[in-house]
Amino acid sequence: MIYIGTAGFSYQDWKGHFYPQEFDKRYMLEYYSSSFPVVEVNSTWHALPSPRTIHSMARRTPRDFQFIVKAYQGLTHNYRDNEEDFRRLLEVIRPLEDYGKLACVLAQFPWGFKNTPENRDYLRRFRELIPERDLVVEFRNEGWITDETLDLLRELGMGFCCVDEPRLKGLVKPHVILTSHIGYVRFHGRNYEAWWDRNRESWERYDYLYAEDELREWVPGILELDRGAERTYAIFNNHYRGKAPRNAVMLASLLPAERVVPLGTGGEHPRLWED
């Protein structure tokens, strides 16, 4: 089955676009989880919350709701002396495991994490320090897309994150690849102008609304992933002003209904389709 959701949910600029204009931020998770079956928690990249916070999130969501946890930056952007960060991440995800709501851990490596023997060894270490959990790896550098890499991911039981992002030199192209029992596609938008521009705010990189034809390009690939996977996730990271939930609903409408975990109404979102 295909689970469709967004990267994050607690955005103030989603008010009036996804959430009602005067909506109380304290109830965003409940509202979101009545609309989508999965969320990718991105805040864990910036700082690891307490297990109590994660327990509260698990408790406040429907029984079958799923959480994807993005690995802390100390694991994906620092490659030495970080055993304590791995230990703390395992503590943080434990409540989700107890509730049966942990979909997987997503490890997003930066463009500067290149395909070298040392970094391949680090992937092995990553797996050793997070054993027996579903892991998905997102590379930003196209140099990783080799048969050797894919064989290594299969050996380690780590999923490959397919990406849709600006098709700029050196960035990962829109490959359709399955290396574990989890299929994963992450939609970052195609904002070419802002991607490498250091004079812009970080959110501007993800200010992009997909057209229906652009999402339709991915339908065959998502269905191909889903034929070989136990679960397939399609996650939208083009979060500015509610573009992610808007495109998530659009993608769901393009896929066969019997292959998609149903989306809820979430209050019917009267402004979901407005700019």
Side-chain angles (χ1 to χ4, degrees):
M1 295 294 287
I2 301 166
Y3 293 75
I4 300 175
T6 68
F9 65 89
S10 60
Y11 299 103
Q12 290 294 326
D13 61 11
W14 283 18
K15 291 183 178 182
H17 300 278
F18 177 70
Y19 301 113
Q21 185 64 56
E22 303 302 324
F23 197 73
D24 190 327
K25 184 177 181 179
R26 290 177 298 174
Y27 304 109
M28 284 182 172
L29 179 57
E30 287 85 345
Y31 191 96
Y32 176 93
S33 63
S34 71
S35 306
F36 297 103
V38 63
V39 70
E40 183 185 281
V41 182
N42 277 341
S43 60
T44 48
W45 184 87
H46 299 281
L48 287 173
S50 69
R52 178 180 296 181
T53 297
I54 297 298
H55 180 273
S56 173
M57 294 171 67
R59 180 180 55 81
R60 289 156 46 209
T61 50
R63 182 183 61 185
D64 296 328
F65 190 77
Q66 295 191 11
F67 292 88
I68 298 160
V69 176
K70 189 174 180 181
Y72 176 55
Q73 61 181 310
L75 282 61
T76 57
H77 291 58
N78 174 38
Y79 315 121
R80 295 181 179 85
D81 302 322
N82 56 2
E83 290 82 3
E84 178 62 16
D85 290 332
F86 277 96
R87 187 192 65 78
R88 289 182 58 222
L89 178 66
L90 292 177
E91 286 184 354
V92 166
I93 65 175
R94 178 62 60 83
L96 298 179
E97 294 179 301
D98 291 343
Y99 274 87
K101 293 184 176 184
L102 179 66
C104 63
V105 173
L106 171 71
Q108 177 196 301
F109 290 95
W111 186 86
F113 184 74
K114 298 182 179 180
N115 187 358
T116 66
E118 293 78 15
N119 287 341
R120 290 193 293 275
D121 285 341
Y122 185 73
L123 290 179
R124 295 183 180 94
R125 179 169 174 267
F126 201 103
R127 169 46 91 190
E128 289 174 0
L129 292 174
I130 304 185
E132 302 176 359
R133 275 82 172 181
D134 287 332
L135 293 176
V136 174
V137 175
E138 178 181 352
F139 299 112
R140 286 290 173 89
N141 193 305
E142 177 70 13
W144 280 99
I145 313 305
T146 66
D147 290 341
E148 181 182 23
T149 297
L150 303 182
D151 287 343
L152 176 61
L153 293 181
R154 294 185 180 102
E155 172 193 330
L156 298 175
M158 301 170 82
F160 176 87
C161 181
C162 311
V163 294
D164 187 286
E165 58 192 10
R167 296 172 190 181
L168 298 170
K169 184 178 180 180
L171 290 182
V172 173
K173 297 178 176 59
H175 305 282
V176 176
I177 296 171
L178 183 68
T179 59
S180 76
H181 61 273
I182 291 180
Y184 207 113
V185 183
R186 208 159 181 244
F187 293 89
H188 294 296
R190 302 179 183 179
N191 193 333
Y192 293 83
E193 293 78 11
W195 193 266
W196 291 124
D197 191 345
R198 297 184 179 276
N199 295 319
R200 303 208 188 194
E201 298 292 334
S202 59
W203 59 261
E204 293 184 80
R205 175 183 289 187
Y206 306 107
D207 181 8
Y208 187 86
L209 181 68
Y210 286 95
E212 183 175 302
D213 286 348
E214 292 175 320
L215 293 183
R216 199 181 297 277
E217 296 170 6
W218 273 97
V219 168
I222 292 173
L223 293 177
E224 178 184 337
L225 290 172
D226 192 51
R227 281 191 290 271
E230 292 179 8
R231 307 187 306 277
T232 299
Y233 298 97
I235 303 295
F236 285 85
N237 192 32
N238 54 328
H239 52 75
Y240 181 62
R241 298 187 70 183
K243 292 180 172 65
R246 178 172 172 178
N247 278 147
V249 172
M250 186 182 294
L251 177 64
S253 73
L254 299 175
L255 292 163
E258 67 273 12
R259 302 283 290 275
V260 177
V261 177
L263 275 57
T265 60
E268 299 297 338
H269 312 312
R271 297 195 58 197
L272 189 58
W273 300 104
E274 298 181 18
D275 291 327

